[in-house]
């Protein structure tokens, strides 16, 4: 067991790209203005949902959050989506508001990742 603990302690934490599932280089449909931390790890991006493997959507206001489900239906369809949202004292909508809106639109949250002191991201999948 000591060897397993030593390995665990010596392994560096996952990068933001690893946490968001972007390390393998999936094509990402970007919606909204991503914060610099997210923009830096997006890799290959597209404006065409047909070629995308997932969506990265940043919501900076309640209006953007309210419009997101319709935007996804029109552009992202059935793709998994990372919603980048505010945390702490950020003026952007927080995790609770995003979760409420996305669940009401038929999405289920499957993972959360810290992005920075100001931003978090929650992954959602459309319900089957």
């Amino acid at each position: 067991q000591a060897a397993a603990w030593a390995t665990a302690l010596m392994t560096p934490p996952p990068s933001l790209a690893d946490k968001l599932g972007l390390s393998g280089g999936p094509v990402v449909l970007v919606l909204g203005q991503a914060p610099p931390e997210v923009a830096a790890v997006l890799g290959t991006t597209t404006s065409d949902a047909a070629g995308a493997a997932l969506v990265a959507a940043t919501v900076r206001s309640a209006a953007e959050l309210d419009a997101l489900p319709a935007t996804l239906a029109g552009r992202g369809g059935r793709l998994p989506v990372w919603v980048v949202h505010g945390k702490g004292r950020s003026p952007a909508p927080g995790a609770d508001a995003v979760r409420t809106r996305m669940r009401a639109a038929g999405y289920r949250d499957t993972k959360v990742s810290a992005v920075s002191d100001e931003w978090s991201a929650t992954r959602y999948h459309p319900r089957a």
Side-chain angles (χ1 to χ4, degrees):
Q1 283 187 352
W5 275 102
T7 299
L9 292 172
M10 298 304 291
T11 302
S15 67
L16 180 59
D18 291 335
K19 291 183 203 177
L20 300 180
L22 301 173
S23 295
V27 177
V28 180
L29 172 63
V30 179
L31 302 175
Q33 181 185 354
E37 300 86 355
V38 174
V41 299
L42 285 175
T44 305
T45 61
T46 184
S47 59
D48 179 16
L54 63 95
V55 178
T58 302
V59 291
R60 294 176 177 269
S61 69
E64 288 179 357
L65 175 57
D66 288 343
L68 184 58
T71 301
L72 291 171
R75 306 240 353 244
R78 306 299 299 164
L79 296 173
V81 57
W82 277 101
V83 179
V84 181
H85 52 79
K87 78 177 190 187
R89 295 179 182 242
S90 171
D96 290 341
V98 171
R99 186 177 308 107
T100 299
R101 185 67 183 106
M102 293 299 286
R103 286 181 177 175
Y107 286 81
R108 61 184 165 81
D109 43 318
T110 58
K111 189 173 181 181
V112 176
S113 176
V115 171
S116 68
D117 290 342
E118 202 175 327
W119 297 98
S120 279
T122 305
R123 184 176 61 198
Y124 290 89
H125 289 266
R127 293 194 190 275

